[in-house]
Amino acid sequence: MLPKFSRWLVSLIIVGGLFLGGCTSQEVASQSSENTSTTTPISVTQANNPQMNNLPRLEGKATVVMVVKGSPITIELDGTNAPVTAGNFVDLVQRGVYDGSVFHRVEKSPQPFVVQGGDPQSKDPNFRGQLGTGGFIDPETKQPRNIPLEIKPKGADTPVYSKTFESARISQPPELDHKRGAVAMARSMFPDSASSQFYFALSDINFLDGNYAVFGYVTQGMDVVDKIERGDKIESAKVTQGAENLKK
């Protein structure tokens, strides 16, 4: 067991590593909405959340194979418990958003934590800005695509959107937790700011449960994930099963 100081330091490093840089007016509005709510929310549905109307959804399971350093990483995506988050990821994989991008943050000490990638800016070898600040820009609308924070409490019928479990006053654990091999979305301090950046959990980091959206797990190739270093490239990412479950 880690000493209290070390545990606090570990938490600080991980949470800081998952935050994205910058914010938009949409994100500020999201933060304001979360901070002013004082009642336990009902899960938001697509019908009463306009932000979700045009987002892809995964209705069921899908499998993605990501190749890094010539070796495959197999990810099973759970659209049953995280339909919007998993659907967004599958859609971005099909668009080729991750092909050629690099892992810009790797946290392995003082113990294994996370590997984070998915910033489209990292595909440009001439980019000189700060990686970890970019997201997917929809080529049709020319606007950033952000998805709401989506976490389903264990035993619930539907996920809770746009709120952490703490702000929603939810005490039960999520259906999808941060065990080793979890795949989840990185975001800024504002709940509805996730876009394309994601991370692999290198160990059980359950103190993030209820704050970040897990949407799948590595089923094969965790040894490949363990060896990822900063700057390593995603050579390819392909949907190998369940593509028919993506609804746009």
Side-chain angles (χ1 to χ4, degrees):
M1 180 176 294
L2 292 173
K4 289 184 178 180
F5 178 77
S6 297
R7 188 177 295 277
W8 172 84
L9 181 61
V10 167
S11 301
L12 182 63
I13 292 173
I14 284 294
V15 174
L18 302 182
F19 277 1
L20 312 181
C23 61
T24 65
S25 58
Q26 179 182 4
E27 293 167 353
V28 172
S30 172
Q31 182 193 41
S32 174
S33 173
E34 179 176 28
N35 290 344
T36 56
S37 175
T38 58
T39 59
T40 302
I42 299 174
S43 297
V44 181
T45 64
Q46 189 172 7
N48 57 21
N49 185 353
Q51 182 183 1
M52 295 172 60
N53 288 343
N54 296 318
L55 295 177
R57 300 171 66 90
L58 183 67
E59 298 179 356
K61 305 283 187 178
T63 302
V64 166
V65 175
M66 188 174 288
V67 177
V68 179
K69 294 182 178 180
S71 298
I73 302 167
T74 303
I75 306 167
E76 183 178 273
L77 306 177
D78 190 341
T80 301
N81 292 304
V84 173
T85 313
N88 175 70
F89 188 80
V90 170
D91 180 61
L92 296 182
V93 168
Q94 291 184 332
R95 290 174 181 266
V97 170
Y98 297 118
D99 297 347
S101 65
V102 305
F103 291 98
H104 62 272
R105 183 179 293 275
V106 177
E107 303 286 355
K108 295 185 178 180
S109 62
Q111 69 178 31
F113 302 132
V114 298
V115 170
Q116 182 174 330
D119 184 343
Q121 298 172 132
S122 68
K123 300 172 75 168
D124 182 1
N126 298 316
F127 180 74
R128 294 295 179 264
Q130 181 181 355
L131 291 179
T133 60
F136 173 64
I137 305 297
D138 192 316
E140 297 180 0
T141 65
K142 310 300 181 183
Q143 297 297 316
R145 179 206 282 175
N146 295 108
I147 61 173
L149 180 63
E150 176 187 54
I151 310 176
K152 185 178 179 181
K154 188 173 290 292
D157 293 331
T158 58
V160 169
Y161 291 96
S162 303
K163 290 182 179 291
T164 64
F165 275 19
E166 180 180 4
S167 65
R169 301 178 183 175
I170 294 174
S171 58
Q172 64 261 50
E175 286 283 357
L176 305 177
D177 66 347
H178 280 83
K179 65 183 179 182
R180 172 172 159 81
V183 188
M185 294 302 292
R187 62 173 178 83
S188 76
M189 62 185 296
F190 307 110
D192 294 349
S193 56
S195 179
S196 60
Q197 292 187 48
F198 69 96
Y199 58 92
F200 294 115
L202 298 179
S203 61
D204 296 344
I205 46 177
N206 297 98
F207 61 86
L208 294 180
D209 288 349
N211 289 288
Y212 293 85
V214 175
F215 59 94
Y217 295 96
V218 174
T219 56
Q220 295 181 32
M222 195 61 203
D223 59 322
V224 180
V225 176
D226 289 334
K227 296 175 183 177
I228 291 175
E229 300 292 342
R230 183 175 179 179
D232 284 348
K233 183 178 295 186
I234 299 174
E235 297 165 18
S236 66
K238 305 294 182 184
V239 181
T240 59
Q241 293 181 0
E244 68 279 4
N245 293 329
L246 181 66
K247 311 301 178 183
K248 299 184 180 182

